[in-house]
Amino acid sequence: MGNVDYPTEPRTGRDRQVYDKDLVRQVAGCVAFDPKTNKFLVISSSKHQDVWVLPKGGWEDDETKEQAAERETYEEAGVRGTLKGLIGSFMDYDISGQPKSNVWFFELEVEHILNEWPESNFRQRKWCTLEEALQYLRFKPFMQKAILASSFGKK
């Protein structure tokens, strides 16, 4: 992740969001894996109680997909590490079946777990086995697919 110093407050708003030619919002996130414990990271949803998700958020026009994935993982989950590569892009659909966002997931090998992070006042995080992560992500099938497509999910 280099020596990037992120602000203590998360970015907000969608003024700088990247959209594709069909006006689908572009989002970046990480499948974060701690090689010391062989555990995956899931975080509490900011919108739905008792729903767990992978860290992800809007890709903005002043950063690369990779930078957005690292930033969002820091802001939402308080972890830093090394990106190991792109897993792929996964479409997220709204309740009516329309494309809501195209999510670019990267593998992140966790190196630092912070005690405080920008969204620590309203997000929880859990470290879990592959099977537990898949269960926690049961409401987000595209996130389950991302974990299973990662090299971490094949161990």
Side-chain angles (χ1 to χ4, degrees), residues 20-58:
D20 69 10
K21 64 179 175 44
D22 297 319
L23 301 180
V24 175
R25 183 172 175 237
Q26 301 298 293
V27 170
C30 288
V31 171
F33 182 77
D34 185 345
K36 294 179 194 131
T37 62
N38 290 322
K39 299 269 177 117
F40 291 88
L41 173 68
V42 296
I43 60 172
S44 58
S45 168
S46 63
K47 295 181 180 121
H48 306 287
Q49 188 175 357
D50 297 324
V51 173
W52 295 86
V53 297
L54 297 176
K56 63 160 186 60

Side-chain angles (χ1 to χ4, degrees), residues 76-111:
E76 294 186 353
V79 299
R80 293 181 174 216
T82 301
L83 287 185
K84 295 297 186 178
L86 176 67
I87 299 167
S89 65
F90 301 80
M91 197 60 78
D92 185 18
Y93 296 92
D94 66 20
I95 198 152
S96 67
Q98 296 301 309
K100 180 168 117 180
S101 57
N102 184 32
V103 185
W104 301 84
F105 276 116
F106 294 84
E107 295 181 343
L108 180 88
E109 190 171 282
V110 174
E111 295 165 356

Side-chain angles (χ1 to χ4, degrees), residues 7-11 41-46 52 55 71-79 113-126:
T8 57
E9 294 295 319
R11 290 186 180 193
L41 173 68
V42 296
I43 60 172
S44 58
S45 168
S46 63
W52 295 86
R71 177 182 52 76
E72 287 291 344
T73 301
Y74 159 72
E75 287 179 358
E76 294 186 353
V79 299
I113 302 169
L114 306 172
N115 291 325
E116 292 184 21
W117 64 96
E119 296 186 12
S120 60
N121 59 338
F122 62 90
R123 285 206 196 255
Q124 297 175 335
R125 61 183 173 204
K126 288 185 190 260

Side-chain angles (χ1 to χ4, degrees), residues 129-138 144-145 147-148:
T129 65
L130 173 63
E131 293 76 21
E132 290 168 337
L134 295 173
Q135 179 61 25
Y136 281 121
L137 298 171
R138 66 191 174 276
Q144 292 175 319
K145 289 176 186 173
I147 283 187
L148 291 171

